[in-house]
């Protein structure tokens, strides 16, 4: 067991075997032993110890005062000074059967190392609703509560057959009087599941484990803090969920290995599971479970409403023994009653109803262009929204539509658009004639101190650079089309000396202009080290710098933007001169002869 203040987890309290209790201070990396009574337990009978502790002794921090720590032996011990001193907060709350506290093993091979100790407290929790209301469960089937100011403990044990362990106690986050118990009897040869519920502080209990597998004993049950009656059960055979307060249960296995679940916690819209021997597992996007309804399949298409998303940067790649972070962005979950062959489209719209990003389930011109320009030394694959029967998901990376892609250019930074600004958005998923729209909000990065005005200015500059990029790329595509058309005329009329002279000069001028926008010597990624990056690459770099820096926009970025705008203005003047002195001359020649001219 571990305990800490969830809003400031700097001090972490943990128990291990044989009554060991420590405080770890993350700020100093210091560990202190705060054992209430440091007694070497090896070889001693439990009945002869001052404090009997379970192999997994409980420790708990008060949700109302993190300086208060509870520790379980056969008594509840309480400290108000971070474990420097302890007081006995309760009498013996176990069955205290001396016959079960003696020597373990035979006369030749006795073994008393702590794992065999019985009649101990196994679970302690203070109510988050009521200060001083403490619940205690033991390994021999007893449950007691004590209220603030009361000298007495009240026995509220369920009427369970046998001395099964009170493995976990869950106080409902919605109601102070409602409590759930996970009770295990596997140590007595009983592997059946037991979940008890009381709505009157434990006066009356009823079982709510109908539908769980008969051999899946329950180690922990938790209630969802956002949806009352939504219960999660961690069992010896994996995860289960109930949408109706335990009236029935179904598997929540998903991709979880077939492994015992020893504890569960819910926080920040995620369900975290501790497993026996297979690490920690996190179920992200818990809003999908919370919004689940039994009649989803009847609608043909259902889109789950995403929660508010913070626009912080996503984490990097996971190192060894680290879990992978979820994809940064807004994840859209949608349910299809059957696999779609009619085509699927996802549109992201801002608060004004303007489409800022669109996705389709099949490759389009933009994707073909990206793949065609791919550097073989920087390979990538393009994913498309799924259209399978059942639950599908797609993540919007909070970016605008990609910049203009034209063929035969090397733009190593890619074609993704810049991030959008915080605000209200909606997503529309369309499959054939069915269409569903959900609304959601993007909040600014909590680490940012930028004002709304600074954020708006930042978003405006990103859109300005994106506009310059698209304009320059569109002009480059036009220049290449002009160059191709002039070359076709030169091939068609090789004997016309005037055309050959004027056309060849135009091709040279257009080629030179092309090289001022995109570096033709950039063929693979490392060529950036040798040859200068030209205007389009410089604009792309500036957009990425402004994007990743966030608001407010730096003075250096604004200065560079003005510099690049001036350079683009020069390129436009040069292009106008090429049109006037070369292309228009060729067009006049072509129109005189009634042949195709340069568009």
């Amino acid at each position: 067991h571990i305990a800490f203040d969830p809003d400031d987890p700097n001090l972490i309290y943990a128990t291990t075997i044989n009554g060991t209790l420590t405080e770890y201070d993350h700020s100093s990396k210091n560990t202190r032993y705060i054992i209430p009574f440091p007694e070497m337990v090896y070889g001693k009978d439990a009945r002869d110890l001052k404090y009997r502790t379970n192999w997994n002794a409980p420790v708990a921090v008060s949700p109302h005062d993190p300086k208060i720590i509870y520790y379980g032996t056969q008594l509840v011990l309480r400290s108000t000074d971070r474990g420097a001193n302890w007081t006995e907060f309760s009498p013996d709350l176990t069955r205290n059967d001396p016959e079960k506290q003696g020597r373990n093993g035979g006369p030749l091979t006795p073994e008393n190392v702590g794992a065999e100790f019985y009649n101990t407290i196994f679970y302690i929790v203070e109510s988050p609703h009521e200060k001083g209301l403490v619940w205690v469960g033991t390994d021999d089937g007893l449950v007691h509560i004590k209220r603030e100011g009361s000298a007495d403990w009240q026995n509220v044990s369920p009427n369970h057959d046998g001395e099964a362990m009170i493995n976990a106690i869950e106080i409902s986050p919605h109601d102070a009087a409602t409590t759930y118990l996970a009770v295990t009897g596997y140590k007595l040869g009983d592997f059946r599941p037991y979940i008890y519920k009381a709505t009157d502080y434990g006066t009356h209990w009823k079982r709510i484990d109908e539908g769980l597998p008969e051999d899946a004993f329950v180690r922990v049950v938790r209630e969802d803090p956002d949806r009352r009656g939504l219960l999660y059960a961690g069992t010896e055979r994996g995860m289960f969920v109930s949408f109706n307060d335990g009236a029935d249960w179904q598997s929540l296995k998903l991709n979880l290995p077939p492994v015992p679940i020893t504890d569960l916690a819910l926080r920040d819209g995620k369900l975290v599971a501790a497993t026996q021997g297979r690490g920690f597992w996190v179920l992200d996007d818990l809003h999908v479970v919370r919004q689940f309804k039994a009649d989803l399949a009847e609608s043909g298409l259902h889109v789950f409403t995403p929660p508010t998303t913070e626009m912080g940067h996503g984490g990097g790649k996971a190192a060894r023994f680290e879990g992978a972070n979820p994809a940064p962005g807004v994840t859209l979950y949608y349910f299809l009653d059957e696999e779609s062959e009619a085509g699927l489209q996802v549109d992201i719209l801002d608060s004004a109803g303007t489409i800022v990003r669109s996705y389709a389930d099949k490759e389009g011109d933009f994707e073909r262009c990206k793949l065609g320009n791919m550097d073989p030394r920087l390979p990538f694959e393009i994913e498309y929204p799924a259209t399978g029967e059942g639950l599908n998901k797609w993540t919007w990376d909070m970016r605008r539509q990609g910049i203009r892609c034209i063929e035969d250019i090397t733009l190593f930074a890619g074609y993704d658009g810049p991030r959008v600004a915080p605000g209200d958005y909606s997503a529309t998923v369309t499959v054939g004639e069915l269409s569903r729209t959900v609304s959601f909000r993007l909040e600014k990065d909590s680490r940012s101190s930028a004002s709304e005005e600074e954020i708006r200015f930042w978003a405006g500059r990103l859109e300005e650079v994106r506009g310059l990029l698209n304009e320059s790329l569109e002009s480059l595509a036009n220049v290449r089309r002009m160059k191709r058309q002039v070359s076709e005329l030169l091939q068609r009329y090789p004997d016309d000396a005037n055309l050959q002279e004027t056309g060849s000069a135009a091709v040279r001028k257009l080629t030179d202009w092309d090289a001022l926008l995109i570096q033709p010597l950039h063929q693979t990624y490392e060529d950036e080290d040798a040859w200068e990056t030209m205007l389009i690459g410089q604009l792309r770099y500036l957009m990425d710098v402004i994007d990743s820096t966030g608001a407010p926009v730096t003075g250096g970025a604004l200065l560079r933007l003005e510099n690049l705008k001036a350079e683009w203005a020069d390129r436009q003047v040069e292009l106008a001169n090429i049109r006037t002195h070369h292309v228009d001359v060729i067009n006049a020649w072509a129109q005189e002869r009634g042949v195709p001219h340069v568009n």
Side-chain angles (χ1 to χ4, degrees):
H1 292 265
I2 61 171
F4 51 86
D5 178 357
D7 296 319
D8 184 20
N10 210 45
L11 299 176
I12 301 175
Y13 301 92
T15 66
T16 58
I17 61 175
N18 298 324
T20 302
L21 176 62
T22 57
E23 177 198 73
Y24 167 69
D25 187 340
H26 188 64
S27 62
S28 65
K29 305 295 189 293
N30 184 50
T31 298
R32 298 170 55 233
Y33 284 90
I34 53 172
I35 304 170
F37 190 75
E39 180 179 12
M40 176 64 77
V41 303
Y42 290 114
K44 298 194 70 169
D45 293 347
R47 66 168 74 96
D48 298 328
L49 296 170
K50 179 176 177 64
Y51 295 128
R52 299 188 301 273
T53 57
N54 195 279
W55 191 254
N56 294 315
V59 60
V61 165
S62 169
H64 307 282
D65 183 354
K67 294 189 299 295
I68 297 176
I69 310 166
Y70 300 98
Y71 178 66
T73 62
Q74 75 274 32
L75 325 174
V76 178
L77 304 180
R78 183 173 181 264
S79 174
T80 59
D81 55 9
R82 294 173 45 193
N85 297 280
W86 296 89
T87 59
E88 295 185 354
F89 191 60
S90 78
D92 190 329
L93 298 180
T94 73
R95 298 182 189 272
N96 193 19
D97 182 357
E99 294 297 318
K100 298 174 181 175
Q101 299 170 15
R103 184 74 17 166
N104 291 278
L108 294 181
T109 56
E111 182 180 79
N112 273 28
V113 295
E116 305 81 2
F117 294 165
Y118 190 58
N119 299 140
T120 62
I121 291 173
F122 191 76
Y123 208 91
I124 303 173
V125 61
E126 182 178 347
S127 171
H129 307 285
E130 185 177 335
K131 182 179 180 181
L133 174 55
V134 179
W135 289 74
V136 174
T138 69
D139 65 357
D140 52 13
L142 299 182
V143 179
H144 289 81
I145 64 172
K146 180 183 182 298
R147 283 190 161 87
E148 180 90 343
S150 172
D152 298 325
W153 286 79
Q154 180 184 356
N155 188 336
V156 293
S157 306
N159 186 24
H160 186 85
D161 185 19
E163 298 183 3
M165 177 184 289
I166 308 300
N167 209 80
I169 302 173
E170 169 75 352
I171 300 170
S172 169
H174 305 281
D175 178 34
T178 298
T179 311
Y180 301 89
L181 302 179
V183 180
T184 63
Y186 67 94
K187 292 186 178 182
L188 303 174
D190 184 358
F191 291 86
R192 289 172 293 183
Y194 296 103
I195 301 176
Y196 289 91
K197 176 188 175 183
T199 58
D200 50 10
Y201 295 97
T203 301
H204 301 91
W205 296 96
K206 67 173 182 178
R207 284 182 60 182
I208 56 167
D209 44 54
E210 185 70 30
L212 290 172
E214 280 298 302
D215 57 349
F217 63 85
V218 181
R219 293 180 181 267
V220 59
V221 60
R222 302 289 183 210
E223 185 178 22
D224 194 292
D226 282 12
R227 177 173 168 178
R228 187 166 184 166
L230 175 56
L231 303 181
Y232 306 94
T235 79
E236 188 69 4
R237 297 186 60 184
M239 277 292 306
F240 291 83
V241 62
S242 173
F243 295 94
N244 49 19
D245 210 12
D248 57 62
W249 295 84
Q250 61 191 69
S251 173
L252 192 61
K253 176 184 176 182
L254 303 175
N255 63 326
L256 190 69
V259 65
I261 308 297
T262 56
D263 206 353
L264 296 171
L266 291 108
R267 187 169 172 86
D268 295 334
K270 306 176 190 302
L271 176 64
V272 185
T275 72
Q276 187 74 33
R278 292 297 293 274
F280 295 102
W281 289 72
V282 182
L283 180 60
D284 297 308
D285 303 323
L286 205 53
H287 64 277
V288 177
V289 182
R290 291 167 173 168
Q291 296 175 32
F292 177 81
K293 296 183 294 184
D295 60 350
L296 286 184
E298 299 174 6
S299 64
L301 166 65
H302 179 84
V303 183
F304 295 85
T305 301
T308 296
T309 302
E310 183 179 325
M311 296 189 66
H313 292 285
K317 292 183 178 180
R320 190 180 183 191
F321 302 123
E322 290 182 348
N325 289 316
V330 179
T331 300
L332 298 169
Y333 287 85
Y334 49 95
F335 184 91
L336 300 176
D337 64 344
E338 61 182 6
E339 185 170 358
S340 172
E341 297 181 357
L344 182 143
Q345 181 161 322
V346 179
D347 294 315
I348 308 296
L349 299 88
D350 61 18
S351 58
T354 303
I355 294 177
V356 297
R357 189 73 177 269
S358 290
Y359 301 96
D361 65 324
K362 294 179 176 63
E363 182 182 279
D365 293 339
F366 179 71
E367 289 77 21
R368 279 191 290 272
C369 180
K370 284 179 65 175
L371 292 169
N373 289 334
M374 180 174 63
D375 182 349
R377 301 184 70 172
L378 293 172
F380 61 86
E381 293 182 357
I382 298 177
E383 295 184 2
Y384 303 94
T387 59
E389 179 182 357
L391 188 65
N392 299 275
K393 76 172 183 177
W394 179 253
T395 299
W396 172 45
D397 58 7
M398 301 182 290
R399 294 188 175 277
R400 293 185 175 276
Q401 204 77 11
I403 62 174
R404 174 83 155 86
C405 181
I406 65 175
E407 295 179 355
D408 298 324
I409 66 171
T410 48
L411 192 60
F412 301 118
Y415 302 88
D416 291 340
R419 285 184 298 161
V420 298
D424 295 319
Y425 293 86
S426 63
T428 298
V429 180
T430 302
V431 180
E433 298 181 355
L434 295 176
S435 183
R436 303 286 185 268
T437 299
V438 292
S439 299
F440 57 92
R441 180 165 181 79
L442 298 182
E443 295 282 4
K444 77 170 186 177
D445 189 335
S446 59
R447 299 168 296 180
S448 171
S449 59
S451 66
E452 291 187 10
E453 182 179 351
E454 288 172 328
I455 292 174
R456 283 195 297 270
F457 184 80
W458 167 80
R461 300 295 68 72
L462 279 177
E463 193 57 26
E464 183 178 11
V465 180
R466 178 174 176 268
L468 288 170
L469 263 170
N470 284 334
E471 186 180 353
S472 58
L473 284 162
E474 187 66 37
S475 293
L476 182 59
N478 290 335
V479 162
R480 290 181 173 182
R481 184 168 55 249
M482 284 192 289
K483 178 180 173 182
R484 186 168 57 251
Q485 292 170 339
V486 171
S487 298
E488 290 172 355
L489 285 173
L490 293 176
Q491 292 175 4
R492 191 175 300 130
Y493 301 99
D495 298 329
D496 192 307
N498 289 334
L499 174 64
Q500 290 295 320
E501 180 181 356
T502 305
S504 297
V507 169
R508 287 194 301 272
K509 290 287 186 180
L510 292 171
T511 300
D512 291 343
W513 192 91
D514 186 315
L516 294 174
L517 268 71
I518 284 289
Q519 175 59 264
L521 297 175
H522 283 176
Q523 299 298 314
T524 63
Y525 184 55
E526 286 78 3
D527 289 336
E528 280 189 327
D529 299 343
W531 309 106
E532 177 185 0
T533 297
M534 308 311 288
L535 177 62
I536 288 175
Q538 295 288 353
L539 284 168
R540 171 80 234 197
Y541 175 70
L542 178 61
M543 187 178 78
D544 290 342
V545 168
I546 297 175
D547 189 355
S548 60
T549 302
V553 183
T554 66
L558 293 174
L559 183 63
R560 181 58 172 152
L561 175 57
E562 292 303 314
N563 178 263
L564 291 175
K565 286 165 65 176
E567 182 179 344
W568 173 231
D570 291 342
R571 298 291 86 77
Q572 289 176 301
V573 170
E574 292 168 1
L575 181 57
N577 287 332
I578 295 172
R579 292 176 62 92
T580 300
H581 297 104
H582 298 279
V583 178
D584 288 349
V585 174
I586 295 171
N587 276 344
W589 175 92
Q591 289 171 347
E592 286 179 3
R593 289 158 179 76
V595 300
H597 62 286
V598 179
N599 181 11

